[in-house]
């Protein structure tokens, strides 16, 4: 039973380029979360999605960042015109059901973005 | 809003020493509480959780008890091993109809042989 799959694991982009990070949730899971971990810091929530629907994007920067989770295919976190401050580890997590207290969410191994 | 305050690291211990990593929280109501572990270069793995007051979560020799009186969820292990070296994150559910987690800043544990 495959876990949460993220790719690429490592991505290098020049300033001004676009970064696309992909996340396939665990089988049977229809809810996806994206978190960002800046160097030497904890994880910060970015966005929570269901299929074709953004439920909570309160942690997303207002500009350059977007996320989607289409009916078919993986969830995508897209960062346009990357800057050095976007360099971080981006973690995806998934869960099978919405909002039941104590639900375990399962994390992928992360995508490490380096902006040069 | 909900928040988590976690003991600063790094924590350096000798093998077989007793471990405590402190975690306190501020929350509306009684959210579920979690400890996650992150080994170098890897993602987060759930270590243990507790969903209501006085619950004790346990796994791999680690334990934590949900204390609503002290709003705490301290992580303990009686005898650490070198393989326990990792970053440990305390987290709570952010509330609302989601399982969004709010994390502490993490505590690096280094166990020396």
């Amino acid at each position: 039973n495959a876990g949460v799959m993220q790719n690429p694991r490592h991505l290098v982009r020049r300033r001004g380029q676009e970064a696309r990070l992909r996340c396939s949730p665990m089988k049977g899971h229809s809810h996806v979360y994206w978190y960002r971990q800046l160097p030497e810091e904890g994880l910060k929530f970015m966005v929570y999605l269901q299929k074709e629907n953004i439920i909570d994007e309160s942690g997303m920067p207002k500009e350059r960042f977007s996320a989607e989770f289409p009916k078919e295919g993986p969830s995508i976190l897209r960062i346009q015109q990357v800057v050095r401050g976007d360099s971080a580890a981006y973690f995806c997590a998934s869960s099978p059901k919405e909002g039941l207290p104590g639900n375990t969410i399962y994390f992928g191994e992360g995508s490490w973005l380096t902006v040069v | 809003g909900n928040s988590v305050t976690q003991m600063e690291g790094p924590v350096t211990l000798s093998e077989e020493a007793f471990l405590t990593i402190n975690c306190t929280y501020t929350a509306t109501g009684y959210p579920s509480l979690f400890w996650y572990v992150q080994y170098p270069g890897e993602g987060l793995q759930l270590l243990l959780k507790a969903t209501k007051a006085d619950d004790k979560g346990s796994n791999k020799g680690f334990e934590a008890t949900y204390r609503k009186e002290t709003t705490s969820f301290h992580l303990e292990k009686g005898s650490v091993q070198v393989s326990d070296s990792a970053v440990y994150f305390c987290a709570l559910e952010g509330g609302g109809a989601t399982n969004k987690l709010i994390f502490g800043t993490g505590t690096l544990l280094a166990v020396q042989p």
Side-chain angles (χ1 to χ4, degrees), chain A residues 8 11 18 21 24 27-28 63 65 69 75 80 83 94-95 99 104 106 110-112:
Chain A
L11 181 64
E18 178 179 287
L21 309 177
S24 296
K27 187 176 180 181
E63 298 177 346
F65 284 72
F69 189 15
S75 175
Q80 295 178 290
V83 301
S94 73
S95 68
T104 297
Y106 296 86
S111 291
W112 269 259

Side-chain angles (χ1 to χ4, degrees), chain A:
Chain A
N1 185 17
V4 178
M5 304 300 291
Q6 289 189 247
N7 67 84
R9 290 293 311 279
H10 299 275
L11 181 64
V12 179
R13 284 288 177 264
R14 296 186 185 280
R15 281 178 294 171
Q17 290 185 320
E18 178 179 287
R20 283 189 178 222
L21 309 177
R22 287 175 291 278
C23 169
S24 296
M26 285 181 73
K27 187 176 180 181
H29 287 193
S30 56
H31 302 264
V32 164
Y33 302 77
W34 284 95
Y35 288 81
R36 176 166 65 175
Q37 184 179 33
L38 293 167
E40 313 276 326
E41 295 188 15
L43 279 77
K44 303 291 186 189
F45 168 78
M46 299 181 77
V47 63
Y48 165 48
L49 310 102
Q50 295 176 16
K51 291 275 187 183
E52 301 183 283
N53 202 8
I54 296 175
I55 305 300
D56 181 347
E57 55 181 346
S58 58
M60 286 282 269
K62 293 285 186 281
E63 298 177 346
R64 301 187 298 108
F65 284 72
S66 62
E68 62 176 8
F69 189 15
K71 187 176 181 181
E72 301 291 336
S75 175
I76 307 284
L77 179 67
R78 182 181 177 203
I79 312 171
Q80 295 178 290
Q81 299 175 315
V82 296
V83 301
R84 287 227 171 101
D86 297 333
S87 296
Y90 292 84
F91 289 96
C92 173
S94 73
S95 68
K97 293 178 183 177
E98 175 182 356
L100 294 180
N103 257 353
T104 297
I105 67 172
Y106 296 86
F107 283 82
E109 294 191 331
S111 291
W112 269 259
L113 171 65
T114 301
V115 179
V116 297

Side-chain angles (χ1 to χ4, degrees), chain B residues 22-95:
Chain B
N22 290 339
C23 172
T24 57
Y25 66 90
T26 302
T28 304
Y30 303 106
S32 296
L33 301 172
F34 303 80
W35 278 99
Y36 279 83
V37 58
Q38 184 181 30
Y39 297 101
E42 298 185 12
L44 275 73
Q45 301 173 26
L46 176 68
L47 182 59
L48 53 84
K49 69 179 181 182
T51 58
K52 61 183 188 297
D54 299 325
D55 265 3
K56 177 187 283 188
S58 60
N59 185 26
K60 300 181 182 178
F62 291 90
E63 293 182 340
T65 301
Y66 190 157
R67 304 270 188 215
K68 69 176 183 181
E69 315 82 32
T70 53
T71 60
S72 65
F73 193 54
H74 305 320
L75 182 68
E76 297 182 335
K77 186 174 185 182
S79 176
V80 293
Q81 306 300 312
V82 172
S83 57
D84 293 326
S85 299
V87 180
Y88 292 81
F89 292 95
C90 185
L92 60 75
E93 281 183 336

